[in-house]
Amino acid sequence: NAGVTQTPKFQVLKTGQSMTLQCAQDMNHEYMSWYRQDPGMGLRLIHYSVGAGITDQGEVPNGYNVSRSTTEDFPLRLLSAAPSQTSVYFCASSYGTGGIEAFFGQGTRLTVV
Amino acid sequence: AQTVTQSQPEMSVQEAETVTLSCTYDTSESNYYLFWYKQPPSRQMILVIRQEAYKQQNATENRFSVNFQKAAKSFSLKISDSQLGDTAMYFCAFMKYNQGGKLIFGQGTELSVKP
């Protein structure tokens, strides 16, 4: 099993550009989430989804859009990149509630110049 | 709102010794889950151990164990017989009982194991 696959692993954007971070999982997990990791702040939840067609905002949603048209995919869109969005982004998936382990992708390091 | 605090940004330990990483959290929930995740330099997030709040018994996984104090809202991680491969960033995380997919992380503790 591939688990959770994120692409790309590294990306440099210019301010104002748009891009989509891809996330796919092959474990038939209901729950998928996006986090950003910044030094000294841990990981913070951007958006999450409890199933296809259902998404909700997390702690830091501004500047990001998501959609979930299939169980497998959960892309994160930056509509107009800003230097404040320079970060490492992680996608995670898990099966249901009950404290089940979340599986993480390997992260995308994004730099906005 | 729930918060998770790790007050030790950096720690170091000699190989084969024991180290304890601290984590406190704030919640009004009675049912929840707590986790410790390890992030080595490869950046991969790896689950180390988890604890259900309704269980009084502290979780253990080989050399890793927790001290869960529900009343004090404390959840520390003890690593015994530290190994060089334990060098990593460690994150404490909280999840409400019925909110899969919504982890709340602490700031992280960077652990260095020295030979």
Side-chain angles (χ1 to χ4, degrees), chain B residues 59-72:
Chain B
T60 62
E61 287 288 342
N62 300 314
R63 297 183 295 107
F64 299 88
S65 62
V66 297
N67 184 2
F68 173 49
Q69 301 288 329
K70 190 173 184 179

Side-chain angles (χ1 to χ4, degrees), chain A residues 37-102:
Chain A
Q37 180 180 6
D38 302 292
M41 303 188 75
L43 283 75
R44 293 179 293 168
L45 183 65
I46 304 171
H47 285 286
Y48 68 101
S49 169
V50 300
I54 306 170
T55 63
D56 204 350
Q57 297 180 349
E59 180 186 356
V60 288
N62 292 342
Y64 308 95
N65 280 355
V66 292
S67 61
R68 183 122 180 249
S69 56
T70 67
T71 300
E72 294 78 19
D73 300 300
F74 191 44
L76 179 71
R77 298 182 185 86
L78 284 70
L79 299 178
S80 179
S84 61
Q85 294 179 304
T86 293
S87 188
V88 178
Y89 292 84
F90 287 94
C91 178
S93 74
S94 61
Y95 180 70
T97 57
I100 303 299
E101 175 184 359

Side-chain angles (χ1 to χ4, degrees), chain A residues 9-10 31 33 35 37 40 42-43 45 48 88 90 94 97-102 104-107 109, chain B residues 33 35 37 39 42-45 47 50 89 91 95 97-108:
Chain A
K9 287 187 171 52
F10 301 92
Y31 293 79
S33 312
Y35 298 86
Q37 180 180 6
L43 283 75
L45 183 65
Y48 68 101
V88 178
F90 287 94
S94 61
T97 57
I100 303 299
E101 175 184 359
F104 286 79
Q106 290 199 308
R109 180 175 292 278
Chain B
Y33 300 89
F35 306 84
Y37 276 88
Q39 186 182 47
S42 67
R43 210 164 66 193
Q44 183 66 46
M45 294 288 287
L47 178 66
R50 72 173 197 147
M89 182 73 83
F91 291 101
M95 181 195 299
Y97 178 73
N98 60 348
Q99 289 194 345
K102 293 183 69 175
L103 286 164
I104 300 168
F105 287 87
Q107 301 90 332

Side-chain angles (χ1 to χ4, degrees), chain A residues 2-16:
Chain A
V4 180
T5 303
Q6 282 184 241
T7 55
K9 287 187 171 52
F10 301 92
Q11 183 71 50
V12 179
L13 286 180
K14 293 182 178 180
T15 297

